[in-house]
Amino acid sequence: MHVIVNLQPLLTPLTGIGHYTRELTLALLDAGLRMDGVTGTRFEALDPGHPLLAAPTQAATLGASPLDERGPLWQLARRYLRNPLTRRAYRWLCSERLRRQGQRLARQGDTVYWEPNYVLLPWQGPSVLTIHDLSHERHPEFHPRERVEFFNRHLPESLAHASRINVVSQFTADELQALHGIDASRIDIVSPGVSERFFAVPDAPHATRVRQRHELPERFLLSVGTLEPRKNLVRVMQAFAELPRDEQRAAPLLLVGMQGWGEQTLSREIRSALEAGTVRRLGYVPGDDLPALYALASGFVYVSSYEGFGMPVIEAMAAGTPVLTANVTATAEVGGAAAISVPPGDITAIRGGLRQLLDENHEARIQQGRVRAERFTWQASAEALQASLHRALES
């Protein structure tokens, strides 16, 4: 079997879809599959040493990556791939690459195109399409207007043409059936996995370096995710800022993630907490630091209003950190009984959940979380994806 994958999710610092694309591409290569990657500039054979597949942990030994948040390539990719006009031009280039290079491959009968990011490029052969969530339909207010318009214009056609449709959770499978009438027989669940590095306890020197690099207090609460409306961080910050100031100082709330879209109004209490440093924004953190950040945290907070999966939930569980998450959408499915769960729209409930993270003994919950995280491996995910790719070839 020969697989073509669109590598666009790997061109900026990795968020959830980027990690998903990278890990599964590497797992397919490790399984011996022939793979080609398509970007706006190239159509090329892939191997584990390809620069776009470099491990996050290489940052410490290779120095600052050109795709680091402070680097020029990151700034260039972020500026142009987030602009509607230049993104449309980039997509056209990718389409042309695939059309020219793929015509011969499509006729060979053993080639399948995997699109890990919602919308298929033009392709005449078998294809597998991954859908991570349908928040743009349930909550268009959580997205920029042009993103909603793009998905509304192109997603139905992609769903109709895909040979197989992959989703990352049963919740997203149910959403596809409810919103688009997709027959369940066309859907395969290919959940994300948890990398082994999140299970490994950081050694003392590395933990000390991470603590010093980010000026971490002895105790802190951690949240990881792009700073955008869907992540519900304003309510989380409000709930935290309403705690007594001595409780805030005892365990500040640290926010890790790139700035997303949308200006959000911050209350007087949140502004005060930011000024006092009891709420801090760390920005985009290199992948090599994330496992230690999870492990050093007293609790992890991820109370999104809508998620198709929620990879940080199981990453924190793997690191042995108790989790507070939402009791709706996919995070309820992913966290299960191992997580403290609250309604994402209820600030009082979120505040109570934050206190639970800090005040209770969580040994049993931590053990449940580790066991739950062990269910999600990239090897199992790759096997599920391979099975879906084979079904696409046979359809």
Side-chain angles (χ1 to χ4, degrees):
M1 180 167 55
H2 184 185
V3 180
I4 298 171
V5 56
N6 183 0
L7 296 179
Q8 183 271 329
L10 306 185
L11 293 177
T12 55
L14 302 189
T15 55
I17 296 175
H19 284 293
Y20 184 88
T21 303
R22 176 188 173 272
E23 294 286 355
L24 282 176
T25 299
L26 285 170
L28 293 180
L29 288 168
D30 188 57
L33 272 66
R34 291 184 299 132
M35 298 192 71
D36 284 318
V38 59
T39 65
T41 58
R42 295 184 178 182
F43 184 101
E44 58 187 339
L46 295 178
D47 61 59
H50 191 282
L52 287 178
L53 300 175
T57 52
Q58 289 178 328
T61 55
L62 298 178
S65 164
L67 287 177
D68 185 90
E69 185 172 4
R70 297 173 299 278
L73 291 184
W74 188 93
Q75 297 289 351
L76 187 68
R78 182 170 172 80
R79 178 179 176 185
Y80 288 102
L81 288 182
R82 293 175 72 88
N83 180 286
L85 293 177
T86 50
R87 187 163 63 245
R88 193 175 302 137
Y90 175 85
R91 179 175 171 78
W92 179 84
L93 285 171
C94 285
S95 299
E96 287 301 300
R97 293 282 176 190
L98 185 57
R99 183 180 290 113
R100 278 185 267 170
Q101 301 286 341
Q103 284 179 342
R104 174 181 55 83
L105 295 172
R107 291 194 296 268
Q108 289 181 354
D110 69 338
T111 302
V112 57
Y113 158 44
W114 170 41
E115 175 51 66
N117 196 16
Y118 288 96
V119 176
L120 293 171
L121 297 170
W123 170 254
Q124 299 305 312
S127 59
V128 170
L129 174 66
T130 298
I131 303 296
H132 299 269
D133 67 67
L134 292 172
S135 58
H136 71 282
E137 294 187 53
R138 290 296 193 190
H139 295 283
E141 71 276 14
F142 291 162
H143 298 274
R145 186 179 64 181
E146 67 87 20
R147 182 189 300 167
V148 175
E149 291 174 350
F150 176 83
F151 281 147
N152 286 342
R153 185 164 59 249
H154 295 289
L155 185 58
E157 182 180 6
S158 290
L159 291 171
H161 280 85
S163 306
R164 303 293 302 175
I165 300 170
N166 288 180
V167 294
V168 294
S169 62
Q170 183 60 54
F171 169 76
T172 303
D174 294 342
E175 289 282 82
L176 266 179
Q177 293 174 70
L179 293 172
H180 289 274
I182 303 296
D183 193 294
S185 64
R186 294 182 60 210
I187 301 174
D188 299 313
I189 297 178
V190 182
S191 298
V194 185
S195 298
E196 286 299 317
R197 62 197 181 96
F198 292 104
F199 288 97
V201 177
D203 58 47
H206 179 59
T208 299
R209 286 195 300 272
V210 171
R211 191 179 288 278
Q212 291 174 345
R213 183 179 300 137
H214 300 288
E215 301 178 356
L216 303 179
E218 187 61 31
R219 300 188 76 207
F220 63 93
L221 297 175
L222 180 69
S223 180
V224 174
T226 303
L227 305 182
E228 61 181 45
R230 181 165 61 96
K231 300 302 181 182
N232 200 36
L233 285 169
V234 171
R235 286 195 184 98
V236 169
M237 288 191 287
Q238 183 66 38
F240 181 84
E242 290 178 4
L243 293 172
R245 185 54 62 90
D246 61 338
E247 293 183 34
Q248 296 181 43
R249 291 195 191 97
L253 173 63
L254 308 187
L255 309 177
V256 169
M258 295 186 297
Q259 182 62 46
W261 78 280
E263 295 296 327
Q264 300 174 59
T265 302
L266 303 183
S267 69
R268 176 180 55 82
E269 293 89 351
I270 295 174
R271 292 196 304 272
S272 176
L274 286 164
E275 291 167 3
T278 57
V279 175
R280 285 174 49 202
R281 291 168 169 161
L282 300 187
Y284 183 81
V285 168
D288 191 41
D289 288 358
L290 271 180
L293 276 168
Y294 281 124
L296 291 169
S298 301
F300 181 70
V301 186
Y302 198 79
V303 193
S304 295
S305 298
Y306 186 106
E307 288 287 340
F309 187 82
M311 289 172 67
V313 169
I314 54 170
E315 290 172 350
M317 287 181 172
T321 301
V323 172
L324 171 66
T325 192
N327 64 355
V328 296
T329 73
T331 52
E333 174 186 337
V334 172
I340 302 167
S341 59
V342 295
D346 188 335
I347 291 175
T348 301
I350 296 172
R351 188 168 64 249
L354 295 173
R355 278 199 159 124
Q356 273 187 269
L357 280 180
L358 294 171
D359 296 343
E360 294 184 3
N361 184 314
H362 295 291
E363 280 305 313
R365 196 180 296 279
I366 288 169
Q367 291 305 314
Q368 288 179 322
R370 284 188 180 276
V371 169
R372 192 162 189 84
E374 287 170 353
R375 295 170 47 189
F376 298 94
T377 69
W378 286 115
Q379 180 180 350
S381 300
E383 290 171 357
L385 176 55
Q386 282 190 74
S388 186
L389 293 166
H390 278 293
R391 292 188 192 105
L393 283 172
E394 296 165 357
S395 63

